Amino acid sequence: MTEQDFIPKSYLKSIENGSVTWSSPSNIALVKYWGKKEHQLPQNPSISFTLDNCKTVTTLSFSKKEASNNFSFEVFLDGEKKEDFKPKIETFFKRIEVYIPFLKDYHFVIETSNTFPHSSGIASSASGMSALSMCLMSIEMMLNPKLSNTFINQKASFLARLGSGSACRSVEGDLIVWGLHEAIEGSSDLFGTKYPYEVHDNFKNYQDTILLVDKGEKQVSSTVGHNLMHNHPFASQRFAQANDNLAKLIQIFKSGDVYAFIEIIESEALTLHAMMMTSLPYFILMKPNTLEIINKIWEFRQDTGLPISFTLDAGANVHVLYPEKDAKLILEFIKNELVAYCQNGHYICDKIGFGAKKIDN
Ligand code: DP6
């Protein structure tokens, strides 16, 4: 597939107005995307677990408007008009206009809500951009009913990527690769694809308990963060390492070796933060409680042998990852020992999920 394949040639039908609703989850990267080229193309391939409970629900209503050269839309979060969301969506519309030529034919009302609190430090861009992209693809489907499901998902992921890179990994589940990797068939820089090889039962239904250490606004926006990888002294080694780690995961997913898995994903999380600490300007995005939690996890793993592990986003919150079969003991430990380090004791229990879902209006 190339970008050209996503430009519609013509539409078979026309439609005056309507409304579609989709829910789409967040995802958590195991091998991290950090650093991008022009047009939202990643510097290295990444892989993520799609989540289940942390999601955005978006209704997109559309009505034909007079032809004009402007986008016309309103955005609501939890029923409240959000003027401050408009610039990001305007930028998104500009980037995708060539692929969605009907964008200027309609007035749109975007009504969105998240299942996780807005001020949780959990980014809603992945779930939000993928939900909106699925809504747009539902409209494209109405205009062109012959499109296949494979094409719809691929194009939705392609559009979502243009909104926010990691969003392209939220359209489907449960394990999604984004970025060309020579050992992974079908992988592409343009959109996320389902991981195509054997995955051991140990990695099915993996659990993710998200410890909300710091619920404040992101200290560094992802755009600023990715840009720090331009002229970064360790950039080329880092991109090579991500490729290596993804290659190593192929054998690990097959064998079910959770300890080898842990070594890779924890190293990925710490490398992501190391990149931020060694860029100019430099940032420390972990908080003291992030380190307390990491040390407790290591201690507990040492003492019990249970395969508990962590990963981090570009912030202070900790994603605690573990197999479903060990959930009882590990959750007990989390509640007794780790929740005390969370802001107001807040945490979210999530697990692997299977991507965006259409909701009947
Ligand atoms: C640290 O997808 O938020 O979560 O493409 O600029 O929107 P933009 O960035 P974004 O970056 C996510 C970075 C990360 C790692 C990851 O999810 O792979």
Side-chain angles (χ1 to χ4, degrees):
M1 290 296 267
T2 69
E3 277 103 338
Q4 301 304 316
D5 298 319
F6 294 118
I7 301 177
K9 288 178 190 66
S10 61
Y11 289 124
L12 300 174
K13 301 205 168 191
S14 81
I15 180 162
E16 281 304 306
N17 55 57
S19 165
V20 287
T21 302
W22 278 86
S23 86
S24 190
S26 186
N27 68 75
I28 181 69
L30 305 169
V31 171
K32 307 289 180 181
Y33 147 57
W34 197 243
K36 61 179 163 184
K37 302 177 253 192
E38 249 202 308
H39 306 300
Q40 295 276 106
L41 295 170
Q43 288 278 14
N44 64 258
S46 57
I47 188 165
S48 53
F49 280 146
T50 304
L51 294 181
D52 194 37
N53 295 331
C54 290
K55 55 192 177 208
T56 298
V57 179
T58 298
T59 297
L60 183 63
S61 308
F62 55 100
S63 48
K64 261 265 159 67
K65 71 171 176 65
E66 298 260 308
S68 82
N69 213 17
N70 293 322
F71 300 119
S72 169
F73 65 96
E74 299 159 86
V75 199
F76 297 84
L77 174 67
D78 299 326
E80 219 175 278
K81 203 165 188 168
K82 295 297 274 185
E83 288 300 324
D84 52 325
F85 281 22
K86 288 185 84 173
K88 195 159 184 190
I89 291 174
E90 177 97 20
T91 304
F92 176 53
F93 279 0
K94 278 188 194 141
R95 286 184 191 157
I96 65 169
E97 193 190 353
V98 51
Y99 307 105
I100 301 286
F102 59 78
L103 273 183
K104 283 179 179 159
D105 298 345
Y106 295 100
H107 173 72
F108 293 101
V109 178
I110 304 165
E111 290 165 283
T112 187
S113 62
N114 299 319
T115 57
F116 47 90
H118 187 56
S119 58
S120 59
I122 298 185
S124 57
S125 59
S127 51
M129 285 298 176
S130 55
L132 183 54
S133 299
M134 287 308 305
C135 289
L136 289 168
M137 286 314 295
S138 279
I139 301 177
E140 180 152 303
M141 181 78 168
M142 292 175 197
L143 299 171
N144 211 351
K146 288 193 177 146
L147 300 177
S148 72
N149 271 341
T150 311
F151 178 84
I152 301 259
N153 281 346
Q154 229 164 45
K155 183 165 171 182
S157 172
F158 171 85
L159 297 175
R161 183 199 100 233
L162 291 166
S164 175
S166 58
C168 77
R169 298 188 312 237
S170 277
V171 169
E172 293 181 277
D174 44 350
L175 201 47
I176 301 293
V177 179
W178 168 41
L180 185 65
H181 189 285
E182 59 177 19
I184 300 186
E185 227 180 296
S187 60
S188 168
D189 281 353
L190 298 180
F191 44 78
T193 52
K194 272 162 112 62
Y195 176 73
Y197 306 125
E198 193 181 333
V199 177
H200 192 278
D201 278 350
N202 286 351
F203 298 110
K204 303 271 165 73
N205 224 7
Y206 229 69
Q207 308 288 300
D208 179 3
T209 303
I210 310 167
L211 304 178
L212 305 178
V213 171
D214 183 20
K215 300 196 270 176
E217 280 285 303
K218 271 193 184 174
Q219 195 185 325
V220 182
S221 76
S222 49
T223 310
V224 171
H226 289 289
N227 281 337
L228 295 174
M229 291 308 281
H230 294 133
N231 305 318
H232 192 290
F234 308 133
S236 59
Q237 295 97 314
R238 161 59 198 155
F239 303 143
Q241 179 201 38
N243 274 277
D244 279 358
N245 281 342
L246 191 43
K248 285 184 190 143
L249 279 177
I250 297 174
Q251 182 48 35
I252 293 170
F253 283 137
K254 192 171 168 195
S255 69
D257 185 344
V258 282
Y259 297 97
F261 171 79
I262 288 172
E263 193 171 281
I264 289 189
I265 64 152
E266 291 190 347
S267 162
E268 276 288 321
L270 295 176
T271 302
L272 169 71
H273 283 255
M275 290 300 110
M276 290 179 237
M277 288 188 221
T278 49
S279 57
L280 275 177
Y282 38 79
F283 297 94
I284 299 181
L285 301 186
M286 289 188 258
K287 298 282 184 210
N289 281 353
T290 312
L291 293 176
E292 293 284 356
I293 290 170
I294 292 174
N295 279 311
K296 287 267 177 189
I297 287 174
W298 285 345
E299 226 174 83
F300 182 73
R301 190 163 76 218
Q302 178 86 34
D303 291 349
T304 61
L306 290 172
I308 181 175
S309 60
F310 73 87
T311 189
L312 307 166
D313 267 340
N317 295 337
V318 182
H319 289 249
V320 186
L321 299 179
Y322 48 97
E324 186 186 28
K325 67 175 164 48
D326 299 307
K328 195 171 171 289
L329 287 175
I330 291 179
L331 203 53
E332 217 164 89
F333 159 71
I334 291 174
K335 285 182 188 156
N336 293 339
E337 302 278 341
L338 303 184
V339 168
Y341 298 104
C342 297
Q343 208 176 338
N344 307 323
H346 284 170
Y347 65 100
I348 298 173
C349 287
D350 211 337
K351 60 177 192 301
I352 286 189
F354 295 90
K357 292 194 180 82
K358 188 157 197 276
I359 295 174
D360 289 330
N361 287 3

